Amino acid sequence: MWLRINAICHAKRRCRSAMALISMLLLPVMQIPVLAQPLRVEIIRNPEYKDVRYCVSQDDCRLCWETYETQTNAGVVKSRTDCRLSLEAQSPGLKALLEEIVAADSGRPAVHTLFWGRLVPDVPQDDMQMAKRLVLAAFRSSGWDRKKGRPRSGGDNPFVRDLANGAVIYEELRALFASTGRRIHVSGVEKVLVMPAGQLPFYDELAAQGVGRGDRLPFDALVWFTIEAQKK
């Protein structure tokens, strides 16, 4: 139940979200790397909690996506990974998971939501590329007050949601779902964290883009994606 999202927006906010989504869909889609050997997906069922975990081992990584057999969370996928590779490098493994989950969906509600979790978890799950892109997008946005560390209008959650979609900070995931005839966009954001850029572990990369140490910028949040079939 905690994974369900109720999206209630004002007219202006819906308009901004729609424009961001249109811009996102017009961008070219990156290619997913192809591995020499196919990856084997392990399926682990947990009858007690009515969930199914799909896992794959790639290099030194353990990539897992979890689905649910309860009515409340049917069609929801939760990412659980232990991997410090970039999202691009993880793409073959994630594609194997997605294809296995889609194949198992016959007769059940289609996958409609991906709960990614935090962009910067306590134990890193990738190279934090999405977090870096979010910081830079906020730095370049006229709608974000770098001194106060908040949007010039509206709340943190809807602002970061629209910012993430406008900048397509999840390009690798977009390419992944496009390869199976689906598209995604950020539909929910919670618990946005803001910090002076100089305190972030990847500040050197930000400084090269002109970000100041004292610029207060969003770098982390809980993120949900909505998954939809591509229109023909």
Side-chain angles (χ1 to χ4, degrees):
M1 186 174 297
W2 58 274
L3 287 173
R4 298 186 66 185
I5 302 168
N6 295 319
I8 302 175
C9 303
H10 296 298
K12 286 185 178 179
R13 195 168 296 163
R14 285 200 301 268
C15 182
R16 288 199 303 269
S17 298
M19 291 302 293
L21 182 56
I22 290 171
S23 298
M24 173 190 70
L25 294 174
L26 292 176
L27 291 174
V29 177
M30 64 176 291
Q31 297 296 313
I32 296 176
V34 178
L35 298 181
Q37 297 294 329
L39 296 169
R40 175 180 169 274
V41 177
E42 180 184 3
I43 302 176
I44 307 166
R45 297 185 179 278
N46 188 336
E48 181 180 358
Y49 295 100
K50 295 185 178 180
D51 60 48
V52 182
R53 189 170 297 188
Y54 297 80
C55 297
V56 66
S57 295
Q58 179 187 328
D59 298 325
D60 294 327
C61 294
R62 179 75 167 170
L63 308 176
C64 295
W65 279 7
E66 189 171 275
T67 63
Y68 303 87
E69 297 179 327
T70 59
Q71 184 175 358
T72 301
N73 292 322
V76 175
V77 176
K78 183 177 182 180
S79 176
R80 293 179 178 272
T81 65
D82 181 11
C83 184
R84 299 200 180 195
L85 294 177
S86 68
L87 281 177
E88 182 177 6
Q90 291 182 34
S91 292
L94 296 180
K95 184 176 182 182
L97 295 179
L98 177 59
E99 290 177 342
E100 192 71 35
I101 290 172
V102 169
D105 272 345
S106 178
R108 296 189 301 177
V111 171
H112 56 74
T113 299
L114 170 63
F115 175 58
W116 188 256
R118 292 175 55 190
L119 298 182
V120 184
D122 294 331
V123 179
Q125 296 175 355
D126 53 57
D127 62 352
M128 298 182 286
Q129 190 64 47
M130 285 199 285
K132 298 171 188 176
R133 291 169 182 162
L134 178 64
V135 172
L136 289 174
F139 172 71
R140 294 164 181 160
S141 172
S142 60
W144 183 266
D145 189 322
R146 302 180 210 163
K147 184 175 180 180
K148 296 180 179 179
R150 65 190 187 198
R152 298 189 188 279
S153 63
D156 288 359
N157 292 347
F159 183 89
V160 167
R161 179 199 63 208
D162 292 347
L163 193 66
N165 283 322
V168 197
I169 67 171
Y170 47 89
E171 174 56 31
E172 294 83 359
L173 296 178
R174 178 173 176 253
L176 169 65
F177 281 88
S179 71
T180 62
R182 292 166 174 78
R183 64 185 184 212
I184 64 168
H185 64 274
V186 175
S187 54
V189 168
E190 290 184 7
K191 299 183 180 179
V192 174
L193 297 182
V194 177
M195 183 181 291
Q199 297 180 22
L200 295 173
F202 43 81
Y203 175 67
D204 288 347
E205 295 179 52
L206 302 175
Q209 300 295 321
V211 179
R213 285 188 172 276
D215 290 334
R216 297 180 59 83
L217 300 164
F219 69 98
D220 192 14
L222 290 172
V223 175
W224 286 260
F225 293 91
T226 286
I227 305 165
E228 301 170 315
Q230 289 181 342
K231 295 181 180 179
K232 297 181 179 179

